[in-house]
Amino acid sequence: MPSRDEKSDENDLLARSPMGYPQAPVVAVAECSSHAVLDAVDGGFKESERIVSDALDADGGTGTLLLAGRGLWGLARWHRLRGQGTHLLWRIERRKARRVKDVLPDGSHLARIEANKHSKAAGTVKAPPALVRVIEYRVDGQADIVRLITSLTDHEKYPAAELAALYARRWETELVFDEIKTHQRGRPVLMSQTPNGVRQEIYPHLIVHHATRELLNEAAKLHRSTAEPTSFTQALHAVRRTVTSPSGFPPSARRRDRHLGLTEISLSLLPRRRSRDCPRKIRSRITPYGSKAPQEPASHRRSPLVITLNHSNGADLAKGDRPALRS
């Protein structure tokens, strides 16, 4: 989808020229427990996720912890969100936050992170340095070392092992996109041929998803549970039946249908999810990943998540050496 600052005749060009289905990047902030989309913004195909995310109003207030990946890191963005009272837990590249200030007993350490030196050359105002807490760990069975930074510097109140396990919840947003794109949308593509038309398709889907998730949260309260074990597809079926039901009048009939739908959702709770792991393989040979054999299962059950934190003494970190792994 073209950027917002394209020429005004872009819509006419798209309407006249034969082209494929439009694509639009969407960056969203979703709640891990309820899967409710709190904020979202779209961008053009020439814009990166980092640029698009600057338009997000991710003001969760005091007590909110915002999880993000490496692609959204930015020191100015960090200061802006911290100024709103939001705590942060972000993954970051291994070469950043190397200036160690103090080593904490749980294996994490405090470090000073500064703006990129090229920002001054580009003529922009450099963001001030920030003191962050660095957590490095490795998931059992994987060679990659994950490096996190957080604004939660109290190691006694927020242990490094708990924050490392909590970061995995960031992938809940992938389930949110699956609910919208696969289950709710119905058709696999956007049909509009103009930027404004594409936006008119995206945001109604987000609004309907938020309303459905609000219904799931209400049904969970009836069952005295959280929204996690509730079924989104079951709620979607109940909503569609209620919307198309002819019993819209009198209002008491609508309230009765709503109560029946909430009861149906609350009685259709999902079992506890098992930890499953799907190897990164595809059927095509055009990439370096291995191909998946026809008889190979799509996923297999794995053991509970095992996280090994990096530990080292203060002397090693002061010299700038990489913390050594220890089982």
Side-chain angles (χ1 to χ4, degrees):
M1 188 178 73
S3 305
R4 295 179 184 270
D5 56 354
E6 296 286 345
K7 295 182 179 180
S8 59
D9 60 347
E10 183 69 31
N11 293 350
D12 297 335
L13 178 61
L14 290 175
R16 294 193 306 266
S17 303
M19 56 180 297
Y21 293 107
Q23 297 180 355
V26 176
V27 181
V29 177
E31 194 175 41
C32 292
S33 177
S34 66
H35 287 191
V37 178
L38 305 180
D39 193 12
V41 62
D42 65 273
F45 67 92
K46 296 181 180 178
E47 298 171 332
S48 65
E49 290 183 349
R50 186 174 302 180
I51 296 176
V52 175
S53 65
D54 286 334
L56 280 174
D57 185 19
D59 185 3
T62 304
T64 301
L65 181 63
L66 182 63
L67 313 178
R70 288 174 292 185
L72 297 180
W73 162 251
L75 187 56
R77 191 175 299 108
W78 177 280
H79 284 295
R80 178 173 61 85
L81 294 173
R82 288 293 297 126
Q84 297 173 354
T86 304
H87 283 290
L88 307 172
L89 178 64
W90 283 4
R91 187 173 180 178
I92 199 173
E93 298 176 359
R94 296 290 312 281
R95 58 187 177 87
K96 294 185 180 296
R98 306 302 300 180
R99 298 191 176 185
V100 179
K101 292 296 183 182
D102 191 15
V103 181
L104 302 178
D106 64 347
S108 61
H109 59 272
L110 301 178
R112 186 169 178 262
I113 187 167
E114 298 181 348
N116 192 328
K117 62 181 181 180
H118 298 292
S119 61
K120 185 176 181 180
T124 58
V125 179
K126 295 180 64 174
L131 182 66
V132 299
R133 180 181 172 201
V134 181
I135 302 172
E136 285 191 342
Y137 68 93
R138 178 171 54 87
V139 179
D140 188 30
Q142 300 182 11
D144 295 339
I145 296 178
V146 180
R147 183 179 180 87
L148 304 178
I149 60 173
T150 180
S151 59
L152 302 173
T153 57
D154 190 345
H155 67 278
E156 295 181 352
K157 191 174 181 180
Y158 309 103
E162 293 184 7
L163 292 178
L166 180 62
Y167 179 74
R169 297 292 303 275
R170 184 178 70 87
W171 293 102
E172 294 285 340
T173 187
E174 298 297 332
L175 299 179
V176 174
F177 290 137
D178 174 72
E179 292 169 356
I180 298 175
K181 298 171 64 176
T182 304
H183 302 288
Q184 176 182 298
R185 191 171 60 177
R187 54 189 181 190
V189 296
L190 298 172
M191 303 301 295
S192 300
Q193 295 295 308
T194 64
N196 289 334
V198 171
R199 296 186 183 98
Q200 289 177 0
E201 286 189 73
I202 293 176
Y203 288 99
H205 277 297
L206 295 174
I207 293 173
V208 171
H209 178 269
H210 188 90
T212 306
R213 272 295 166 185
E214 184 67 24
L215 190 67
L216 281 168
N217 187 50
E218 186 177 348
K221 290 180 180 179
L222 291 177
H223 198 268
R224 296 182 180 180
S225 176
T226 62
E228 290 180 307
T230 55
S231 172
F232 178 80
T233 55
Q234 186 70 29
L236 200 60
H237 295 331
V239 169
R240 287 172 175 170
R241 287 198 304 269
T242 305
V243 170
T244 58
S245 174
S247 59
F249 189 84
S252 58
R254 179 66 66 182
R255 290 193 295 268
R256 181 199 61 198
D257 290 345
R258 178 181 177 84
H259 178 74
L260 291 176
L262 290 174
T263 303
E264 177 184 351
I265 296 171
S266 61
L267 295 178
S268 304
L269 299 181
L270 298 174
R272 185 177 180 180
R273 294 191 181 99
R274 297 178 297 173
S275 297
R276 304 188 71 86
D277 180 72
C278 183
R280 185 166 184 148
K281 295 182 180 180
I282 62 173
R283 298 184 183 277
S284 176
R285 283 282 190 177
I286 61 176
T287 69
Y289 298 110
S291 61
K292 184 174 293 185
Q295 69 276 9
E296 184 178 357
S299 63
H300 60 275
R301 186 173 182 179
R302 64 181 180 184
S303 58
L305 184 67
V306 178
I307 293 176
T308 303
L309 296 174
N310 281 3
H311 296 274
S312 63
N313 54 41
D316 293 337
L317 288 174
K319 295 177 183 179
D321 296 336
R322 181 170 61 89
L325 280 174
R326 192 177 73 180
S327 302

